[in-house]
Amino acid sequence: MTDSRTPLVVVGDALLDHDLCGRAERLAPDAPVPVVHGTRRSSRPGGAALAACLAAADGRPVTLVTALGPDAASDTLRELLAGRVTLVEVPLEGTLSSKTRVMAGDRPLLRLDDGEGRAREATPQAVSAIAAAAGVLVADYGRGTADVLRGALAHTESPVVWDPHVRGRPPVPGVRLATPSAQEARAFARRLDDRDSGETPGLRTAARDARALVGAWRARAVAVTLGDRGALLSHGETPLLVPTPAAATGDPCGAGDRFAAAAAGLLADGALTEAAVQGAVHAATRYVAEGGARAVAVPDGPRTAAEPAGDGDTTADAVRTAARVRAAGGTVVAAGGCFDLLHAGHVTLLQAARRAGDCLVVCVNSDDSVRRRKGDGRPLVPATDRVRVLRALECVDAVAVFDEDTPERILGELRPHIWAKGGDYARTRLPEQPLVESWGGQVLLLPYLDGRSTTGLARRAATAPAPTVGRPT
């Protein structure tokens, strides 16, 4: 992606988010709670920091104005943001807020919150960044950054998108677009009318709330986000419903940030409000379908510039590679198999798969998985060596090893746009096809060279005559 789009300044409260992802297949014997095992821990920017990273992934320079301190969580977040956005810090009183989600697949089971730090005061650098901005997104998470910079935000002449939080104050008057969720709009509207009945948010309620908030906030427009139904845009009169382009299943965490970041960027580029909201709905739908906030997550642990060893656990590297390409707007392709005795048929398939996208992740059956599928005599080549050989191919960007009989679990972590298989599967519905299609991915069949197979190579090698003693082999 190039920096050809209008720069954006994101103002708001940064958070540090952690995910503990694993599988929950049974309950604990001592309490009726799920047992999560096989966990992988990852960290990512959250709050305004996530919104800034998502705006940067659209291919525009982004400056993040946020409160950070000398605490460990702030230092971790600085590392995660390095090279992604330009940081302008205001002082933080207390420690940076962070949250940890315990996940079973895409389903959150528990969230742990730490830190209650708040922005202490504005700085000249922060005020100058807002004054010079071509477009501003306020990602308010109720922790004070928007409050201490409220004067600068009220006087900027650039288009402002304000993503409010019920713990924060209303937007400054005159914002181009406010983007509350339906629940947030309902909560703000209740504050305007003490006689409110407390009805459940729906289209009629959202339309009424949006109209009320346009007037109360003196906003030029309010877009109430409705999850998988899209968004409702109001200028104060008859609202416009902007539906999602397709059903998207997956982790919706951060979808509101994706919506607001896309809308702010499009408005900064000069788009009309209706076009910006439509583009934001499409962006948020893709975001959920492609794995949500995990696209900007980084697996915890030592980080080095060197590639992991071919005989090590390469799954984390594969997930990180897929997330990086996805965050940059690229197409992730995955292919899978045993790849025992790599031959020309394998190479042809992998080269074609790589040409279909921007990176290729190869999912390889572990030794136990191969043994269950092929019998006790297989694999002929152990997984460590198979991984080394595959990683040596120019067309392969990363390799992940899975121990199950089918690759659904690892595909759920990678969420590729394309799952490539050989043309010999043309008459077979793959068991993983519904999973890939659930996030908008596609199964793609590619040509396969006839007459090449590991079984055939092994049989010919076993029946070949022994070489004559003394003659070269």
Side-chain angles (χ1 to χ4, degrees):
M1 304 287 283
T2 60
D3 292 345
S4 59
R5 299 183 182 181
T6 306
L8 191 68
V9 173
V10 178
V11 180
D13 308 299
L15 312 173
L16 178 63
D17 290 347
H18 308 285
D19 280 344
L20 277 172
C21 299
R23 302 188 300 279
E25 299 165 346
R26 62 188 177 88
L27 296 178
D30 54 344
V33 295
V35 175
V36 181
H37 60 98
T39 57
R40 300 176 187 275
R41 182 182 175 92
S42 61
S43 300
R44 66 175 185 275
L50 174 60
C53 288
L54 295 172
D58 285 337
R60 66 180 74 250
V62 173
T63 297
L64 172 61
V65 180
T66 193
L68 294 175
D71 56 290
S74 293
D75 288 340
T76 299
L77 185 59
R78 290 185 183 97
E79 292 180 15
L80 293 173
L81 295 173
R84 293 180 174 183
V85 302
T86 300
L87 264 178
V88 175
E89 298 184 21
V90 299
L92 178 73
E93 186 173 354
T95 58
L96 185 71
S97 297
S98 65
K99 66 176 184 281
T100 301
R101 298 189 305 168
V102 180
M103 308 280 292
D106 284 334
R107 186 183 300 276
L109 301 179
L110 178 70
R111 198 180 96 179
L112 308 173
D113 288 11
D114 295 292
E116 290 292 338
R118 292 185 60 85
R120 187 169 68 238
E121 59 188 1
T123 64
Q125 294 83 358
V127 172
S128 297
I130 295 170
V136 176
L137 167 62
V138 179
D140 184 10
Y141 276 78
R143 290 167 173 83
T145 303
D147 292 343
V148 300
L149 292 164
R150 196 170 181 87
L153 293 167
H155 291 94
T156 181
E157 297 182 358
S158 61
V160 176
V161 172
W162 196 293
D163 192 15
H165 192 285
V166 292
R167 293 175 55 181
R169 296 171 64 186
V172 298
V175 298
R176 180 76 63 87
L177 181 68
T179 62
S181 67
Q183 291 77 14
E184 290 166 342
R186 186 86 289 268
F188 281 113
R190 286 193 185 111
R191 298 175 189 176
L192 303 176
D193 185 357
D194 294 335
R195 298 169 299 171
D196 180 75
S197 62
E199 60 189 298
T200 302
L203 280 178
R204 292 179 60 186
T205 305
R208 187 166 61 251
D209 291 344
R211 182 172 62 250
L213 295 177
V214 167
W217 290 346
R218 287 183 281 165
R220 293 175 61 176
V222 170
V224 178
T225 55
L226 304 170
D228 58 6
R229 301 183 72 178
L232 196 72
L233 173 63
S234 175
H235 295 278
E237 297 297 335
T238 304
L240 171 69
L241 177 64
V242 181
T244 55
T249 59
D251 183 4
C253 179
D257 296 299
R258 172 70 280 193
F259 178 92
L266 290 167
L267 288 175
D269 291 339
L272 296 176
T273 304
E274 289 78 3
V277 170
Q278 184 176 37
V281 168
H282 284 237
T285 303
R286 288 195 305 272
Y287 169 85
V288 174
E290 294 176 358
R294 295 188 200 181
V296 295
V298 176
D300 288 0
R303 301 173 199 164
T304 64
E307 293 288 338
D311 55 354
D313 178 11
T314 60
T315 300
D317 176 61
V319 173
R320 185 165 53 245
T321 297
R324 184 175 65 248
V325 172
R326 184 184 298 106
T331 297
V332 178
V333 182
C338 301
F339 298 100
D340 202 5
L341 290 184
L342 192 72
H343 55 70
H346 292 142
V347 174
T348 299
L349 172 69
L350 295 176
Q351 289 174 332
R354 181 60 177 82
R355 288 193 292 270
D358 299 293
C359 80
L360 173 62
V361 178
V362 180
C363 304
V364 179
N365 296 74
S366 70
D367 291 346
D368 287 341
S369 178
V370 174
R371 194 170 297 114
R372 289 193 300 270
R373 291 188 58 195
K374 304 289 187 178
D376 291 339
R378 300 283 292 274
L380 302 169
V381 178
T384 53
D385 289 351
R386 287 183 281 134
V387 169
R388 284 181 180 274
V389 172
L390 285 166
R391 288 176 63 85
L393 296 179
E394 185 177 359
C395 60
V396 175
D397 296 279
V399 179
V401 179
F402 63 95
D403 195 48
E404 299 81 8
D405 293 338
T406 57
E408 278 97 333
R409 180 188 59 80
I410 188 62
L411 286 176
E413 295 188 44
L414 295 170
R415 287 183 173 259
H417 300 91
I418 295 173
W419 174 236
K421 299 295 290 186
D424 51 337
Y425 285 90
R427 302 181 188 276
T428 305
R429 181 167 177 81
L430 300 170
E432 59 269 23
Q433 185 168 344
L435 175 68
V436 174
E437 292 175 347
S438 72
W439 58 71
Q442 179 180 357
V443 175
L444 185 66
L445 298 179
L446 298 172
Y448 195 84
L449 288 179
D450 291 335
R452 277 79 169 181
S453 75
T454 299
T455 301
L457 286 174
R459 185 181 299 115
R460 286 196 296 274
T463 58
T468 304
V469 177
R471 297 182 62 181
T473 59

